[in-house]
Amino acid sequence: MPQNVVELLHWNIQQGRRVDEATDWLLRRRRATGRKPAAVLLNELRPGQGDHVAERLGMRHFPAPIDLSLDEKDSRRQHLNAIFIDPDGPLVPDPNWEANWLGPWLPPATVQVWIRNPDGSMSRRQIFLGCEHACYWHPGHRETTARFFTVPGKDLRLGHVEGDFNGWTEDRAPLTLDNVPDRAFAQNRSVLVDGVMVPDTQADTLMTGGGFVYVHGYAADTLGIEAADAPTIVGGPDKERQRIPVADQPPAGLSAIDRTYATKELIPAVVDANVIKLPDLADISDHWPRYTHYGYQKLVEITNRPVTVVRH
């Protein structure tokens, strides 16, 4: 029987350098909480690590597609997105789903799932799960990827997308990047508007305009969870030249670049969402992990509503 809380956990694990330490921590956390995540969504795995992680976690691996026309050493084949699903949990993958969109940069991992009802049957509706890592250097690639993820959220469909978006939310972007010492970084994170380079918020604009809600922003603003929408970069000496001066930040501070978006209809099922900041995690990755908790009964209610989906 599924637990009352359905947990989805996202983590960019920094090029898979310490993948065993990352999975060790996930297993320790599982023992400490007594809860196995329904899904774990990871960025920056190396080739072969996905199956290794799946075996260690006892989960099913849903990898991103691979462009076999690229050289094996190409970064688009070396930094992989992946989704892992508990085979005994409340999320049931569609066996006919095939992830095939390669995207303009790192191919995203995607899968559609049903909710397992209390009686063991499948929900009427599916939820589209996505895990992406936006291009760090090309705003056009980031825009294309965000547009792709708005597609499964249209026409009363349901979607949950995790990713490193390499940009900010509309309301908590830098006021300017003119004073960032690393000028290439500043340009990479900017878009050209009327001949002026401004901080890139287009992914957030597209996702929210396409019917999604920034989950951890909702958790902070509506559920009252302190720092749920805090920045997700660990930082360190290697990031110093990319630091944005406090004077150039908005009053509420910078938004996270790792974010979770869910379609509006799913939001009432969100009961908790937060960033996990523990000292030992800073030695594993330069990103903090984050989780979203959905109430199981509410998910059952939402995914069993009779709706008429309009196809385009």
Side-chain angles (χ1 to χ4, degrees):
M1 176 67 66
Q3 300 182 24
N4 291 331
V5 171
V6 179
E7 178 175 89
L8 287 81
L9 186 144
H10 170 250
W11 198 2
N12 180 329
I13 59 170
Q14 195 180 6
Q15 302 177 12
R17 295 173 181 173
R18 296 178 175 85
V19 66
D20 283 338
E21 289 91 334
T23 50
D24 284 344
W25 178 79
L26 289 169
L27 290 169
R28 288 197 303 273
R29 180 174 182 270
R30 183 190 304 178
R31 290 192 293 269
T33 62
R35 178 188 300 114
K36 184 177 183 180
V40 174
L41 303 94
L42 300 180
N43 302 128
E44 297 194 10
L45 288 165
R46 293 288 191 175
Q49 289 183 339
D51 289 340
H52 175 67
V53 169
E55 182 178 1
R56 295 202 70 201
L57 296 181
M59 304 182 83
R60 293 183 61 189
H61 177 207
F62 294 86
I66 296 174
D67 187 348
L68 297 176
S69 69
L70 299 173
D71 186 274
E72 289 186 3
K73 294 182 180 180
D74 191 294
S75 61
R76 287 166 288 181
R77 291 188 61 175
Q78 290 293 313
H79 300 87
L80 308 176
N81 298 303
I83 299 173
F84 303 89
I85 294 180
D86 177 8
D88 301 314
L91 305 182
V92 182
D94 184 339
N96 296 315
W97 176 258
E98 181 179 355
N100 54 28
W101 190 66
L102 295 172
W105 183 235
L106 304 181
T110 59
V111 64
Q112 293 203 150
V113 299
W114 289 282
I115 297 296
R116 195 189 311 273
N117 292 321
D119 63 2
S121 64
M122 299 299 103
S123 58
R124 292 188 183 194
R125 305 166 70 188
Q126 294 180 327
I127 299 174
F128 172 93
L129 298 184
C131 180
E132 71 110 350
H133 190 307
C135 183
Y136 72 91
W137 59 273
H138 197 311
H141 291 348
R142 294 194 290 269
E143 177 187 358
T144 298
T145 303
R147 287 188 180 278
F148 166 76
F149 278 115
T150 62
V151 171
K154 70 178 183 178
D155 302 330
L156 298 177
R157 298 175 185 173
L158 303 171
H160 176 106
V161 176
E162 305 272 11
D164 177 347
F165 285 88
N166 275 323
W168 298 276
T169 61
E170 286 186 311
D171 58 338
R172 288 178 55 186
L175 306 177
T176 179
L177 293 174
D178 289 348
N179 300 307
V180 175
D182 186 340
R183 298 313 302 156
F185 168 82
Q187 179 173 286
N188 291 341
R189 293 289 178 87
S190 301
V191 292
L192 191 63
V193 178
D194 296 329
V196 179
M197 297 295 283
V198 299
D200 186 3
T201 63
Q202 60 185 347
D204 182 62
T205 302
L206 288 164
M207 294 296 288
T208 56
F212 282 80
V213 174
Y214 170 34
V215 170
H216 289 69
Y218 167 82
D221 297 339
T222 303
L223 300 182
I225 300 172
E226 185 177 359
D229 57 348
T232 54
I233 298 297
V234 174
D238 59 332
K239 302 288 186 181
E240 188 60 34
R241 287 181 54 78
Q242 298 177 1
R243 191 177 301 278
I244 298 163
V246 173
D248 294 340
Q249 299 182 20
L254 297 173
S255 72
I257 66 168
D258 300 299
R259 296 194 296 275
T260 303
Y261 290 90
T263 42
K264 291 178 181 178
E265 196 176 355
L266 286 176
I267 293 301
V270 175
V271 296
D272 188 13
N274 215 334
V275 182
I276 305 172
K277 293 188 176 182
L278 298 172
D280 57 331
L281 297 179
D283 295 328
I284 298 175
S285 175
D286 58 351
H287 293 245
W288 303 114
R290 303 165 309 107
Y291 67 83
T292 300
H293 287 171
Y294 289 103
Y296 169 68
Q297 293 297 336
K298 192 66 175 179
L299 279 184
V300 169
E301 174 192 325
I302 293 169
T303 56
N304 283 285
R305 288 173 181 163
V307 299
T308 301
V309 176
V310 178
R311 304 292 181 181
H312 289 281

